[in-house]
Amino acid sequence: MPPPGRRRLSSLTLVLSILFLFASTASAVSAVLGIDLGTEYIKTALVKPGIPLEIVLTKDSKRKEAATVAFKPSKSSAPGSDAFPERVYGGDALTLSARFPSDVYPNLKPLLGQHFQTNDLVSVYKDRFPELNILGVKERGTVGFRSSSFGQEQEPFLVEELLAMELKNIRANAVAMAGKGSTIKDVVVTIPPFYTAEEKRAVIMAVDLAGMRVLSLISDGLAVGLNYATSRTFSTISEGGKPEVHLVYDMGAGSTSATILRFQGRTVKDIGKFNKTIQEVQVLGTGWDKSLGGDVLNQVIVNDMVDKFTNSDRIKKLGTETRDIKKHGRTMAKLWKESERLRQVLSANTETQASFEGLYHDDVNFKYKITRADFEKLSAKYAAKVKAPMTLALESAKLSLPDLESVILHGGAVRTPFVQKELEAIVGTADKIRTNVNSDEAAVFGAAFKAAGISPSFRVKEIRTGDTPAHASGAWWTTDGKEKQQRLFTPTSVIGAEKQVAFKFTEDFPFTLYQLVPGRLGEMLESPIAEIQTTNLTASVKKLEESFGCVAADISTKFSIRLSPTDGLPEVIRGSVSCEVTEKKGGVVDGMKDLFGFGAKKGDQKPLADEGEGAELSTASTKPETATTSSPKESPTGDLTASETKQDEKPKEAKKRTETIYIDFTSEPAGLPQLSDEDLRRIKDRLSAFDKSDNSRVKREETLNTLEAFTYKARDLLEDESFISASTDTQRAEIENKFKAASEWLYGDGADATRETLKERLDELRGLVNPVQKRKDESVKRPEAIKSLQEALSQVKVMVDVVKQAQESYSIAQAMASSTSSSSETSSPSPSTTSTTTVDDFADLDDDTSSPTTSEPTTTPTPSVPQPPPYAPEDLTSLISTRDEVQSWLDGKLAEQEKLSPSDDPVILSSELQAKSTELNQVVMKIIQKQMKATRSPPPPPKKDRKGGKKDGGKGAKKVKSMDIEDLLKDMPKEDREEIERAVKGAGETGSEEPEKEMEKVKEGVKKKAGLKHEEL
């Protein structure tokens, strides 16, 4: 087997490479998305040729979509796709939370990749949305939901499945914005820096179920920093510049994180001998608090509202307690929705209020009022947590507050006044708080920029980023009954970094990659990520021992492990087993080399000793060697003895090399059980059924709207004079009755009718209106179509006259030419009397100027033969027959149409008239094209070369028929013709030295004087 660098590509490899090239080219024209996956809102930015970094608007033209999906129960109970509930997204879904609290799923992000039984976030979510039926998914143990719109036989919905629905809706909005025919497949998604392997895999699964592919996951802080760097240039460290260090403080709805970033420029090698300066953004450290965010601040307001509502007189009389209120789904949905609005108002105002009608009971109203001071007092314990993420980030980066250039704020909850006050107190001055960054959209723009940089379709500013995994990782394995482990990466290792790990195994073995994650009590747990199993290590070691003589103790087993650029998790990229071997000499090739003297080194080959001068050179060349050795005396001739030569020879060093065999291995995800192929197919089928149901529902709505609009249109038609003239009283009465009944039906039973029923009603009404509408339209179009057809008939008549005249002229010219030819034959002398005059059969050929001639015979001019016209007799027949046929058809149809009333169906349609006009035009165009081909100007005469000869047109040049000078003379004025005749006479005199050249001058003169007339002809 040839070495890897010299292997030949197989046919299959070449085919796959070509297919990959085409696939890359096809994907290169596709758009890419950056998705800021937030707890409360999802923001999306599109990058497409012609659309650089544009926010994708929702259907309501908003710049962000609420991260909520709801199932609105279908009114149809019929089986099939229409039985699926209607899916509603974003703000429309939130408005349904009070009506259908058991089928509205907001803020799903904290539940991704979480265990149902052992995670506190699941309990918090259940308390906030008590009406939702949350349960654990079998076999996996993750979070699922059972919808009240489906029966108990339906499998629960996974969090990833519900999130995939939201992402599909986002993608549909992006495709609508990108334009028809656009494809969106690749995305970059933002995630919090603390996400573990389970949470990252859950995000990737949701994106995959949505029909997209994750190019990369990027942490929220790095995405903000990347957007910050796109419009700035930093000091170049290669030129002695100092890097800038900033902290991104991101407080969203679900969590708070702090990311320390280093910004700098660097000069690197470019193509060729050139250098270029790039920008770099590197994560130095991160810190976070999963329990601090906008949701917990909303919860503070909700709890206060519940307490005040429970203490109201009306509720006390009912004997309702706090736990009863918190378990009531509709009440909590109303309070939760209003708490978000109240908190946002308090960010700009000192107090606000809210009113509720029918809260908990239909006849119970509640009015709530809160001030900013009250809110800050209730949130005091959360204000104390603001500093923690920043402190953890500084410790991780081994920096202090004075090292920071600024603090960049991001996230919706960061606008809360007490949060900004705390940050200013921590930093020490408000000048370091950077507020010139878009706190809502910086992350999504950074993600979109990252996607454009990865995609081959776009060329963007080169900014190199370095993210960190935020969690340490390593590997463990078992050897000799003992468990061993090795730490591979730290929380601040750069994603994409690679390490080599050596194992003392010579037989197939398994090992596990793990990640250190904090437990419920703050302890660090080794969470498995992947299970690796070698498959050919034993066989490879045996091959090294048998084929290369390796010893087991000298065999080295290594694996290359890196942090994946896609998700930042450790992955095995290759493995190898190797040993150092000594190359053996004496093989066939080495023997042949030694035989012909090619095997030894130059220093080992000595020239043969010759007498005289050759012997002296040999002696001189060996003297330095004898000076450095303690050898016996030299021979009289100056050559070394055989024993001395043997002593001087150094032993040849054996050449060593490393023999390597690559290890095959399998890698299986560890941790939470993965979905089986059957479950994955079931989920995708259900998502497709939902899509089909939604499409069917959209078409039904379109049919319903069309039917409703058609009923309004009928009212206008019944009052239109042209419609009235094209219909009878009976027809109008029937139309009026049918449309009135349809209108009443639409607002009654028709509101819930299926699309098929609506379409039947619409077709029935169209069957009444369309015939009358057709008569009305034909009455308007027919006169113009008749006029166009009559004009076409007139054109055909003109063309018939032209063809007839051309054929008659040709007949007359042909008769005159034949009579002239017969008279010239009668007056010509007999061959016996013209012995000195011969007819040159090659007169039309070009004269060869290189061969001199002494005389030129004169010939009797022959009369010109008239050219036939380009029209064949069949053309005239076709014109006449087509004209007569169409004229007869038109006369008959017009006579029939005149007998009909406006309310009768026409016997002649405008489309038929247009077809007849087209038929006539095609016949005329055929004749005109023949005429145009026949009247084309002849090609120009060939140019002369410097010697006076004609230039050859080259290979493939067309042969042009030489011009008849006699014909040209006939068209010339009398004075020009007499001048040329004198020149011809002079050229033909015997005294002329070069009659051929003189005749050529005459010919050129004729052509020049008759050129304009000839071109016109």
Side-chain angles (χ1 to χ4, degrees):
M1 181 176 179
R6 301 176 59 184
R7 294 176 185 169
R8 294 184 179 180
L9 294 177
S10 64
S11 301
L12 177 60
T13 305
L14 290 174
V15 171
L16 292 177
S17 301
I18 295 173
L19 292 176
F20 176 75
L21 176 63
F22 283 118
S24 301
T25 306
S27 64
V29 299
S30 302
V32 294
L33 287 181
I35 299 178
D36 182 12
L37 185 61
T39 301
E40 187 175 10
Y41 292 99
I42 300 177
K43 293 173 280 289
T44 312
L46 172 70
V47 183
K48 180 193 173 187
I51 306 180
L53 292 178
E54 187 70 24
I55 289 291
V56 177
L57 302 180
T58 67
K59 295 178 180 178
D60 301 330
S61 299
K62 296 180 180 179
R63 298 179 69 85
K64 58 184 178 181
E65 185 82 280
T68 306
V69 59
F71 296 158
K72 188 177 180 181
S74 176
K75 296 180 181 180
S76 174
S77 59
S81 61
D82 288 340
F84 278 86
E86 179 183 358
R87 290 181 297 183
V88 186
Y89 302 97
D92 295 338
L94 288 176
T95 58
L96 298 175
S97 58
R99 293 176 56 196
F100 309 105
S102 62
D103 268 333
V104 179
Y105 307 94
N107 301 14
L108 296 171
K109 181 180 175 181
L111 302 179
L112 289 170
Q114 302 299 331
H115 292 266
F116 176 73
Q117 296 290 348
T118 61
N119 197 283
D120 295 334
L121 293 175
V122 178
S123 301
V124 172
Y125 193 89
K126 290 174 68 176
D127 293 338
R128 289 176 184 169
F129 309 103
E131 197 74 16
L132 291 176
N133 187 2
I134 306 178
L135 60 141
V137 178
K138 295 179 180 179
E139 296 179 359
R140 298 193 74 216
T142 55
V143 181
F145 296 89
R146 190 176 297 281
S147 171
S148 60
S149 300
F150 293 88
Q152 292 296 321
E153 67 279 359
Q154 275 281 359
E155 292 291 333
F157 289 90
L158 277 70
V159 177
E160 296 87 346
E161 186 177 359
L162 296 175
L163 181 58
M165 295 180 185
E166 299 178 21
L167 294 177
K168 271 194 171 186
N169 177 60
I170 292 291
R171 181 188 183 188
N173 294 338
V175 170
M177 179 178 176
K180 187 177 181 181
S182 300
T183 58
I184 298 177
K185 189 75 175 177
D186 299 329
V187 298
V188 169
V189 185
T190 65
I191 58 172
F194 54 79
Y195 258 21
T196 63
E198 308 296 353
E199 293 162 314
K200 291 179 179 180
R201 288 169 178 169
V203 172
I204 295 175
M205 180 192 297
V207 174
D208 178 67
L209 291 174
M212 296 182 286
R213 180 184 63 168
V214 173
L215 293 176
S216 175
L217 299 177
I218 183 172
S219 63
D220 294 324
L222 180 58
V224 175
L226 182 56
N227 177 69
Y228 183 79
T230 54
S231 58
R232 292 168 175 83
T233 301
F234 305 97
S235 300
T236 304
I237 60 173
S238 305
E239 301 173 358
K242 181 181 178 182
E244 298 181 14
V245 179
H246 300 265
L247 185 144
V248 176
Y249 194 87
D250 184 10
M251 179 181 283
S255 61
T256 300
S257 65
T259 305
I260 296 180
L261 302 172
R262 181 179 63 208
F263 300 86
Q264 62 188 21
R266 184 188 297 274
T267 301
V268 297
K269 185 175 178 58
D270 199 2
I271 299 175
K273 299 180 180 180
F274 300 97
N275 295 331
K276 62 180 178 180
T277 301
I278 63 170
Q279 305 299 306
E280 294 180 338
V281 184
Q282 174 65 46
V283 177
L284 300 181
T286 56
W288 59 81
D289 188 343
K290 296 182 181 181
S291 63
L292 180 62
D295 280 354
V296 296
L297 300 182
N298 293 344
Q299 190 66 52
V300 168
I301 298 177
V302 170
N303 293 338
D304 188 51
M305 286 192 292
V306 171
D307 291 340
K308 291 182 178 180
F309 181 63
T310 306
N311 294 326
S312 63
D313 296 337
R314 180 63 174 156
I315 296 300
K316 284 183 177 180
K317 291 179 180 179
L318 294 174
T320 305
E321 298 181 1
T322 300
R323 63 173 180 270
D324 299 325
I325 300 296
K326 290 187 175 182
K327 289 182 180 179
H328 195 263
R330 293 189 177 184
T331 300
M332 293 302 296
K334 291 180 180 180
L335 296 178
W336 182 262
K337 179 182 177 182
E338 193 64 18
S339 66
E340 171 73 13
R341 186 190 67 83
L342 292 174
R343 182 176 61 84
Q344 293 177 355
V345 172
L346 288 176
S347 298
N349 299 276
T350 57
E351 64 178 24
T352 185
Q353 61 183 8
S355 298
F356 301 90
E357 295 182 358
L359 188 64
Y360 193 71
H361 284 286
D362 294 338
D363 57 345
V364 175
N365 299 329
F366 175 62
K367 189 173 183 179
Y368 175 75
K369 183 178 181 180
I370 186 173
T371 64
R372 182 188 294 179
D374 295 335
F375 173 61
E376 292 179 354
K377 184 178 180 181
L378 294 170
S379 308
K381 69 174 183 179
Y382 297 109
K385 292 185 174 184
V386 172
K387 184 179 179 179
M390 186 181 296
T391 303
L392 293 173
L394 289 171
E395 292 176 356
S396 176
K398 299 180 181 180
L399 298 174
S400 59
L401 280 172
D403 297 324
L404 300 179
E405 298 282 342
S406 69
V407 176
I408 301 172
L409 302 183
H410 188 264
V414 82
R415 300 188 186 95
T416 307
F418 75 79
V419 173
Q420 295 192 1
K421 288 180 182 179
E422 289 292 331
L423 290 174
E424 291 176 6
I426 295 169
V427 177
T429 174
D431 296 337
K432 276 194 173 183
I433 304 297
R434 192 67 58 89
T435 57
N436 59 346
V437 177
N438 189 335
S439 60
D440 277 334
E441 299 174 352
V444 69
F445 280 133
F449 188 89
K450 176 79 171 180
I454 297 175
S455 172
S457 303
F458 307 96
R459 184 177 181 180
V460 297
K461 177 181 179 181
E462 188 169 357
I463 303 177
R464 296 182 182 179
T465 59
D467 210 342
T468 60
H471 297 289
S473 57
W476 76 57
W477 63 94
T478 302
T479 177
D480 297 332
K482 297 180 181 180
E483 186 175 287
K484 294 187 177 182
Q485 66 176 7
Q486 180 176 343
R487 186 70 57 86
L488 300 177
F489 302 101
T490 67
T492 56
S493 297
V494 179
I495 288 179
E498 181 180 332
K499 282 191 175 182
Q500 273 199 348
V501 182
F503 294 90
K504 294 182 179 180
F505 285 98
T506 56
E507 295 181 352
D508 288 312
F509 73 102
F511 66 94
T512 302
L513 298 178
Y514 68 88
Q515 188 178 57
L516 282 176
V517 298
R520 300 180 67 180
L521 302 178
E523 74 280 12
M524 301 306 295
L525 304 176
E526 295 178 354
S527 176
I529 297 175
E531 299 287 349
I532 314 299
Q533 174 65 55
T534 63
T535 57
N536 69 333
L537 178 59
T538 303
S540 300
V541 170
K542 184 177 181 181
K543 182 177 180 181
L544 290 176
E545 293 175 343
E546 295 179 353
S547 301
F548 303 99
C550 295
V551 181
D554 297 333
I555 295 176
S556 174
T557 303
K558 295 180 180 180
F559 282 90
S560 295
I561 303 174
R562 71 171 179 181
L563 292 174
S564 171
T566 301
D567 55 17
L569 300 178
E571 62 177 358
V572 179
I573 55 177
R574 74 181 70 87
S576 64
V577 58
S578 61
C579 73
E580 194 175 64
V581 298
T582 302
E583 292 186 354
K584 296 181 180 179
K585 299 188 64 71
V588 176
V589 176
D590 293 332
M592 294 298 293
K593 288 182 178 180
D594 292 339
L595 178 64
F596 291 100
F598 298 129
K601 296 181 180 179
K602 291 182 179 179
D604 298 333
Q605 297 177 3
K606 294 184 179 180
L608 298 175
D610 295 335
E611 296 180 358
E613 185 179 354
E616 292 178 0
L617 290 174
S618 176
T619 304
S621 63
T622 57
K623 281 182 180 179
E625 297 181 12
T626 59
T628 59
T629 58
S630 57
S631 58
K633 296 181 179 180
E634 297 181 3
S635 62
T637 60
D639 293 335
L640 297 177
T641 62
S643 61
E644 292 172 342
T645 303
K646 289 182 179 179
Q647 291 178 1
D648 290 341
E649 287 181 354
K650 296 181 180 180
K652 298 180 180 179
E653 295 182 0
K655 187 176 181 181
K656 295 184 177 181
R657 61 181 175 84
T658 300
E659 186 66 28
T660 303
I661 300 177
Y662 288 103
I663 300 175
D664 295 333
F665 60 89
T666 60
S667 178
E668 296 293 335
L672 287 176
Q674 300 299 303
L675 286 176
S676 63
D677 294 339
E678 182 181 355
D679 290 337
L680 193 61
R681 185 167 52 253
R682 174 183 55 79
I683 292 174
K684 290 185 176 181
D685 290 343
R686 183 159 62 179
L687 288 174
S688 299
F690 261 110
D691 294 338
K692 184 179 178 181
S693 175
D694 289 343
N695 292 334
S696 177
R697 187 174 291 105
V698 169
K699 292 179 179 179
R700 180 195 174 277
E701 294 295 332
E702 292 176 353
T703 306
L704 176 62
N705 294 336
T706 303
L707 178 57
E708 187 175 8
F710 202 66
T711 58
Y712 289 110
K713 180 182 178 181
R715 301 173 186 175
D716 299 333
L717 289 176
L718 292 174
E719 297 176 359
D720 187 8
E721 294 182 359
S722 57
F723 188 85
I724 294 173
S725 63
S727 60
T728 62
D729 296 338
T730 304
Q731 292 172 338
R732 289 193 299 274
E734 184 180 4
I735 292 173
E736 184 176 5
N737 294 333
K738 289 287 186 180
F739 273 83
K740 184 178 179 180
S743 181
E744 295 176 354
W745 176 78
L746 273 177
Y747 296 103
D749 299 336
D752 299 330
T754 62
R755 179 172 179 263
E756 289 72 17
T757 304
L758 294 172
K759 195 172 183 302
E760 289 176 2
R761 284 273 187 167
L762 181 60
D763 293 341
E764 180 185 3
L765 297 179
R766 282 176 173 172
L768 297 175
V769 174
N770 286 351
V772 181
Q773 186 67 34
K774 184 177 181 181
R775 292 194 292 269
K776 172 190 170 183
D777 296 339
E778 286 294 328
S779 64
V780 176
K781 298 178 181 178
R782 192 185 309 114
E784 187 66 26
I786 292 174
K787 181 180 178 182
S788 298
L789 181 56
Q790 290 174 343
E791 291 176 354
L793 286 169
S794 300
Q795 293 176 358
V796 173
K797 183 177 181 302
V798 172
M799 187 56 64
V800 169
D801 295 339
V802 170
V803 174
K804 283 184 178 180
Q805 183 178 1
Q807 290 182 348
E808 292 174 358
S809 300
Y810 173 68
S811 299
I812 295 173
Q814 194 176 28
M816 293 177 64
S818 61
S819 63
T820 304
S821 177
S822 60
S823 61
S824 61
E825 289 177 359
T826 305
S827 59
S828 61
S830 61
S832 60
T833 61
T834 58
S835 58
T836 59
T837 303
T838 61
V839 178
D840 188 0
D841 294 336
F842 305 96
D844 289 339
L845 298 178
D846 296 333
D847 297 331
D848 187 1
T849 57
S850 62
S851 58
T853 57
T854 57
S855 64
E856 185 180 31
T858 59
T859 59
T860 304
T862 58
S864 60
V865 179
Q867 296 294 327
Y871 319 113
E874 300 83 31
D875 296 333
L876 181 61
T877 304
S878 176
L879 279 172
I880 295 174
S881 62
T882 303
R883 180 199 61 183
D884 295 343
E885 181 183 349
V886 174
Q887 185 67 59
S888 175
W889 176 85
L890 179 61
D891 294 341
K893 290 293 184 179
L894 290 178
E896 294 181 25
Q897 185 64 38
E898 290 178 357
K899 301 177 182 178
L900 302 177
S901 65
S903 60
D904 294 329
D905 291 333
V907 296
I908 180 173
L909 302 177
S910 58
S911 59
E912 296 175 342
L913 294 169
Q914 292 173 359
K916 294 295 183 181
S917 298
T918 303
E919 181 182 354
L920 293 175
N921 290 334
Q922 290 176 349
V923 175
V924 172
M925 284 303 301
K926 183 178 179 181
I927 302 300
I928 292 176
Q929 288 174 358
K930 284 189 174 183
Q931 184 180 11
M932 292 174 65
K933 290 181 180 179
T935 56
R936 278 182 187 165
S937 301
K943 296 180 180 179
K944 287 188 175 183
D945 57 14
R946 293 180 180 179
K947 295 181 179 180
K950 297 180 182 179
K951 286 187 178 181
D952 189 4
K955 186 177 180 180
K958 295 182 179 180
K959 293 184 179 180
V960 182
K961 185 177 180 180
S962 58
M963 291 182 292
D964 192 342
I965 297 181
E966 294 293 335
D967 292 339
L968 298 178
L969 290 173
K970 291 180 182 179
D971 297 327
M972 286 188 182
K974 183 178 179 182
E975 58 270 20
D976 292 340
R977 187 168 62 252
E978 291 176 353
E979 180 182 354
I980 291 175
E981 287 176 353
R982 288 194 298 271
V984 171
K985 183 178 179 182
E989 292 178 353
T990 55
S992 177
E993 295 179 357
E994 294 179 346
E996 288 80 5
K997 291 186 178 181
E998 292 294 331
M999 188 57 69
E1000 285 295 330
K1001 292 180 181 180
V1002 173
K1003 291 181 180 180
E1004 291 300 323
V1006 173
K1007 294 175 182 178
K1008 184 176 181 180
K1009 288 182 176 295
L1012 180 61
K1013 184 67 178 176
H1014 181 74
E1015 290 175 359
E1016 291 176 352
L1017 291 174

